[in-house]
Each structure stands twice: as structure tokens, then as C-alpha cells.
Coordinates of all heavy atoms in Angstrom, one line a residue:
M157 N 88.8 34.9 -51.4 CA 89.4 34.1 -50.3 C 89.8 32.8 -50.9 O 89.0 32.1 -51.5 CB 88.4 34.0 -49.1 CG 89.0 33.2 -48.0 SD 87.8 32.8 -46.7 CE 87.8 34.4 -45.9
S158 N 91.0 32.4 -50.7 CA 91.4 31.1 -51.2 C 90.9 29.9 -50.4 O 90.4 30.1 -49.3 CB 93.0 31.0 -51.2 OG 93.5 30.8 -49.9
M159 N 91.0 28.8 -51.0 CA 90.5 27.5 -50.4 C 91.2 27.3 -49.1 O 90.7 26.9 -48.1 CB 90.7 26.4 -51.4 CG 89.9 25.1 -50.9 SD 88.2 25.4 -51.0 CE 87.6 23.8 -51.2
I160 N 92.5 27.5 -49.1 CA 93.4 27.2 -48.0 C 93.0 28.2 -46.8 O 92.9 27.7 -45.7 CB 94.9 27.4 -48.3 CG1 95.3 26.3 -49.3 CG2 95.7 27.4 -47.0 CD1 96.7 26.6 -49.9
E161 N 92.8 29.4 -47.1 CA 92.3 30.4 -46.1 C 91.0 30.0 -45.5 O 90.8 30.1 -44.3 CB 92.2 31.8 -46.7 CG 93.5 32.5 -46.9 CD 93.4 33.9 -47.5 OE1 92.2 34.3 -47.7 OE2 94.4 34.4 -47.9
R162 N 90.1 29.5 -46.3 CA 88.8 29.1 -45.9 C 88.9 27.9 -44.9 O 88.2 27.9 -43.9 CB 87.9 28.7 -47.1 CG 86.4 28.9 -46.8 CD 85.6 28.7 -48.0 NE 85.8 29.7 -49.0 CZ 85.9 29.5 -50.3 NH1 85.7 28.3 -50.8 NH2 86.1 30.4 -51.2
I163 N 89.7 27.0 -45.3 CA 89.9 25.8 -44.4 C 90.6 26.2 -43.1 O 90.1 25.8 -42.0 CB 90.8 24.7 -45.1 CG1 90.0 24.1 -46.3 CG2 91.2 23.6 -44.2 CD1 90.9 23.3 -47.2
R164 N 91.6 27.1 -43.2 CA 92.2 27.5 -42.0 C 91.3 28.3 -41.0 O 91.3 28.1 -39.8 CB 93.4 28.4 -42.4 CG 94.4 28.7 -41.2 CD 95.6 29.5 -41.7 NE 96.4 28.6 -42.6 CZ 97.1 29.1 -43.6 NH1 97.0 30.3 -44.0 NH2 97.8 28.3 -44.4
T165 N 90.5 29.1 -41.6 CA 89.5 29.9 -40.8 C 88.5 29.0 -40.1 O 88.2 29.1 -38.9 CB 88.7 30.9 -41.7 OG1 89.7 31.7 -42.4 CG2 87.8 31.8 -40.9
R166 N 88.0 28.0 -40.9 CA 87.0 27.0 -40.3 C 87.7 26.2 -39.2 O 87.1 26.0 -38.2 CB 86.5 26.1 -41.4 CG 85.3 25.4 -41.0 CD 84.7 24.4 -42.0 NE 84.4 25.1 -43.3 CZ 84.8 24.7 -44.5 NH1 85.4 23.5 -44.6 NH2 84.5 25.3 -45.6
R167 N 88.9 25.8 -39.4 CA 89.7 25.0 -38.4 C 89.9 25.8 -37.2 O 89.7 25.3 -36.1 CB 91.0 24.5 -39.0 CG 91.7 23.5 -38.2 CD 93.0 23.0 -38.8 NE 93.9 24.2 -39.0 CZ 94.9 24.2 -39.8 NH1 95.1 23.2 -40.6 NH2 95.6 25.3 -39.9
D168 N 90.2 27.1 -37.3 CA 90.4 27.9 -36.1 C 89.1 28.1 -35.4 O 89.1 28.1 -34.1 CB 91.0 29.3 -36.5 CG 92.4 29.2 -37.0 OD1 93.1 28.2 -36.7 OD2 92.9 30.2 -37.6
A169 N 88.0 28.3 -36.1 CA 86.7 28.5 -35.5 C 86.3 27.2 -34.7 O 85.8 27.3 -33.6 CB 85.7 28.8 -36.5
T170 N 86.6 26.1 -35.3 CA 86.3 24.8 -34.7 C 87.1 24.6 -33.4 O 86.6 24.2 -32.3 CB 86.5 23.6 -35.6 OG1 85.8 23.8 -36.8 CG2 86.1 22.3 -35.0
R171 N 88.4 25.0 -33.5 CA 89.3 24.8 -32.3 C 88.8 25.8 -31.2 O 88.8 25.4 -30.0 CB 90.7 25.2 -32.7 CG 91.7 24.9 -31.7 CD 93.1 25.2 -32.2 NE 93.5 24.4 -33.3 CZ 94.1 24.9 -34.4 NH1 94.4 26.1 -34.5 NH2 94.5 24.1 -35.4
R172 N 88.4 27.0 -31.6 CA 87.9 27.9 -30.6 C 86.6 27.4 -29.9 O 86.5 27.5 -28.7 CB 87.7 29.3 -31.3 CG 88.0 30.5 -30.4 CD 88.0 31.8 -31.1 NE 89.0 31.9 -32.1 CZ 88.9 32.1 -33.4 NH1 87.7 32.3 -33.9 NH2 89.9 32.2 -34.2
A173 N 85.7 26.9 -30.7 CA 84.4 26.4 -30.2 C 84.7 25.3 -29.2 O 84.1 25.2 -28.2 CB 83.5 26.0 -31.3
R174 N 85.6 24.4 -29.6 CA 85.9 23.2 -28.7 C 86.6 23.7 -27.4 O 86.2 23.1 -26.4 CB 86.9 22.3 -29.5 CG 86.8 20.9 -29.0 CD 87.6 19.9 -29.8 NE 87.1 19.8 -31.2 CZ 87.9 19.8 -32.2 NH1 89.2 19.9 -32.1 NH2 87.4 19.7 -33.5
A175 N 87.4 24.7 -27.5 CA 88.0 25.2 -26.3 C 87.0 25.9 -25.4 O 87.0 25.7 -24.1 CB 89.1 26.3 -26.6
I176 N 86.0 26.6 -26.0 CA 85.0 27.2 -25.2 C 84.1 26.1 -24.5 O 83.8 26.2 -23.3 CB 84.1 28.1 -26.0 CG1 84.9 29.4 -26.5 CG2 82.8 28.6 -25.3 CD1 84.3 30.2 -27.6
E177 N 83.8 25.1 -25.3 CA 83.0 24.0 -24.7 C 83.7 23.3 -23.6 O 83.1 23.0 -22.6 CB 82.7 22.9 -25.8 CG 81.6 23.4 -26.8 CD 81.4 22.4 -27.9 OE1 81.8 21.2 -27.8 OE2 80.8 22.8 -28.9
H178 N 85.0 23.1 -23.7 CA 85.8 22.4 -22.7 C 85.8 23.3 -21.4 O 85.6 22.8 -20.3 CB 87.2 22.2 -23.2 CG 88.1 21.6 -22.2 ND1 88.0 20.3 -21.8 CD2 89.0 22.1 -21.4 CE1 88.9 20.0 -20.9 NE2 89.5 21.1 -20.6
A179 N 86.0 24.6 -21.6 CA 86.0 25.5 -20.5 C 84.6 25.5 -19.8 O 84.6 25.5 -18.5 CB 86.3 26.9 -20.9
L180 N 83.5 25.5 -20.5 CA 82.2 25.5 -20.0 C 82.0 24.2 -19.2 O 81.3 24.2 -18.1 CB 81.1 25.7 -21.0 CG 81.0 27.1 -21.6 CD1 80.1 27.0 -22.8 CD2 80.6 28.1 -20.6
R181 N 82.4 23.1 -19.7 CA 82.3 21.8 -19.1 C 83.0 21.7 -17.8 O 82.6 21.2 -16.8 CB 82.7 20.7 -20.0 CG 81.5 19.8 -20.3 CD 81.9 18.6 -21.2 NE 81.6 18.9 -22.6 CZ 82.4 19.0 -23.6 NH1 83.7 18.7 -23.4 NH2 82.0 19.2 -24.8
S182 N 84.2 22.3 -17.7 CA 85.1 22.2 -16.5 C 84.7 23.3 -15.5 O 85.2 23.3 -14.4 CB 86.5 22.3 -16.9 OG 86.8 23.5 -17.5
A183 N 83.9 24.3 -15.9 CA 83.5 25.3 -15.0 C 82.4 24.8 -14.0 O 81.4 24.3 -14.5 CB 82.9 26.5 -15.7
N184 N 82.7 24.9 -12.7 CA 81.7 24.2 -11.8 C 80.7 25.2 -11.3 O 79.6 24.8 -11.0 CB 82.4 23.7 -10.5 CG 83.9 23.9 -10.5 OD1 84.4 24.8 -11.2 ND2 84.7 23.1 -9.8
S185 N 80.9 26.5 -11.3 CA 79.9 27.4 -10.9 C 79.2 28.2 -12.0 O 79.9 28.4 -13.0 CB 80.5 28.4 -9.9 OG 81.3 29.3 -10.6
P186 N 77.9 28.4 -11.9 CA 77.2 29.2 -12.9 C 77.8 30.5 -13.3 O 77.8 31.0 -14.4 CB 75.8 29.3 -12.4 CG 75.7 28.3 -11.3 CD 77.0 28.1 -10.8
A187 N 78.4 31.2 -12.2 CA 78.9 32.5 -12.4 C 80.1 32.4 -13.4 O 80.3 33.3 -14.3 CB 79.4 33.1 -11.1
V188 N 81.0 31.4 -13.2 CA 82.1 31.2 -14.1 C 81.7 30.9 -15.5 O 82.2 31.4 -16.4 CB 83.0 30.0 -13.5 CG1 84.1 29.7 -14.5 CG2 83.6 30.4 -12.2
R189 N 80.6 30.1 -15.6 CA 80.1 29.7 -16.9 C 79.6 31.0 -17.6 O 79.8 31.1 -18.8 CB 78.9 28.7 -16.7 CG 78.8 27.7 -17.8 CD 77.9 26.6 -17.4 NE 78.6 25.6 -16.6 CZ 78.1 25.0 -15.5 NH1 76.9 25.3 -15.1 NH2 78.8 24.1 -14.8
E190 N 78.9 31.8 -16.9 CA 78.4 33.1 -17.5 C 79.5 34.0 -18.0 O 79.4 34.6 -19.0 CB 77.5 33.8 -16.5 CG 76.1 33.2 -16.4 CD 75.3 33.9 -15.3 OE1 75.6 35.0 -15.0 OE2 74.4 33.2 -14.8
E191 N 80.6 34.0 -17.2 CA 81.7 34.8 -17.5 C 82.4 34.3 -18.8 O 82.8 35.1 -19.7 CB 82.7 34.8 -16.3 CG 83.8 35.9 -16.4 CD 83.2 37.3 -16.3 OE1 82.2 37.5 -15.6 OE2 83.7 38.2 -17.0
I192 N 82.5 33.0 -18.9 CA 83.2 32.4 -20.1 C 82.3 32.7 -21.3 O 82.8 33.1 -22.4 CB 83.3 30.9 -19.9 CG1 84.3 30.6 -18.8 CG2 83.7 30.2 -21.2 CD1 84.3 29.1 -18.4
L193 N 81.0 32.6 -21.2 CA 80.1 32.9 -22.3 C 80.2 34.4 -22.7 O 80.2 34.7 -23.9 CB 78.7 32.6 -22.0 CG 78.3 31.1 -22.0 CD1 76.9 30.8 -21.4 CD2 78.4 30.5 -23.4
A194 N 80.3 35.3 -21.7 CA 80.4 36.7 -22.0 C 81.7 37.0 -22.8 O 81.7 37.8 -23.8 CB 80.4 37.5 -20.7
I195 N 82.8 36.4 -22.3 CA 84.1 36.6 -23.0 C 84.0 36.0 -24.4 O 84.5 36.7 -25.4 CB 85.2 35.9 -22.2 CG1 85.4 36.7 -20.9 CG2 86.5 35.9 -23.0 CD1 86.3 36.0 -19.9
A196 N 83.4 34.8 -24.6 CA 83.3 34.2 -25.9 C 82.5 35.1 -26.9 O 82.9 35.3 -28.0 CB 82.7 32.8 -25.8
Q197 N 81.4 35.6 -26.4 CA 80.6 36.4 -27.2 C 81.3 37.7 -27.6 O 81.1 38.2 -28.8 CB 79.2 36.8 -26.5 CG 78.3 35.6 -26.5 CD 77.1 35.8 -25.6 OE1 77.1 36.7 -24.8 NE2 76.1 34.9 -25.8
R198 N 82.1 38.3 -26.7 CA 82.8 39.5 -27.0 C 83.8 39.2 -28.1 O 84.0 40.1 -29.0 CB 83.5 40.0 -25.7 CG 83.8 41.4 -25.7 CD 84.4 41.9 -24.4 NE 83.5 41.5 -23.3 CZ 84.0 41.0 -22.1 NH1 85.3 40.8 -22.0 NH2 83.2 40.7 -21.1
H199 N 84.4 38.0 -28.1 CA 85.4 37.7 -29.1 C 84.8 37.4 -30.5 O 85.4 37.6 -31.5 CB 86.3 36.6 -28.7 CG 87.4 37.0 -27.7 ND1 88.5 37.7 -28.1 CD2 87.4 37.0 -26.3 CE1 89.2 38.0 -27.0 NE2 88.6 37.6 -26.0
L200 N 83.6 36.8 -30.5 CA 83.0 36.4 -31.7 C 82.4 37.6 -32.5 O 82.4 37.6 -33.7 CB 81.8 35.4 -31.4 CG 82.3 34.0 -31.0 CD1 81.1 33.2 -30.6 CD2 83.1 33.3 -32.1
S201 N 82.0 38.6 -31.8 CA 81.3 39.7 -32.5 C 82.4 40.7 -33.0 O 83.5 40.7 -32.8 CB 80.4 40.5 -31.5 OG 81.1 41.0 -30.4

């Protein structure tokens, strides 16, 4: 894996993590929060 690919992959992962955190923060109900976490885990695995 080249250096550029590694940086791009890390940047994408950071962006995804930030988007998930933002969604969790703006979710007002626990049910919505659990749903976001379930979707995030499905995509990470």
C-alpha cells in the first residue's frame, strides 16, 4: 500500500468517524442513537 493510499484511507476513516459523532450528538432519542450505532458497526465490519 502506498503512502498516499494510507493517508487517504486514514482521512476517510476520520471523516466517517466525525460524521458518526455528529449524528450521535444531534440525535435526541436513545432509539435513534442505537440505530446510528448499529448502522455504523455494520459498515465498519
Side-chain angles (χ1 to χ4, degrees):
M157 182 185 281
S158 73
M159 192 67 155
I160 294 169
E161 284 177 8
R162 205 172 297 140
I163 291 168
R164 192 174 294 142
T165 305
R166 194 180 305 136
R167 192 178 58 202
D168 288 347
T170 304
R171 191 179 296 136
R172 212 169 295 124
R174 207 174 295 135
I176 292 167
E177 283 175 19
H178 179 76
L180 286 172
R181 242 181 261 120
S182 61
N184 4 21
S185 72
V188 174
R189 215 168 275 137
E190 285 175 23
E191 196 64 34
I192 293 168
L193 284 171
I195 293 167
Q197 286 172 344
R198 206 174 305 138
H199 282 281
L200 288 174
S201 61

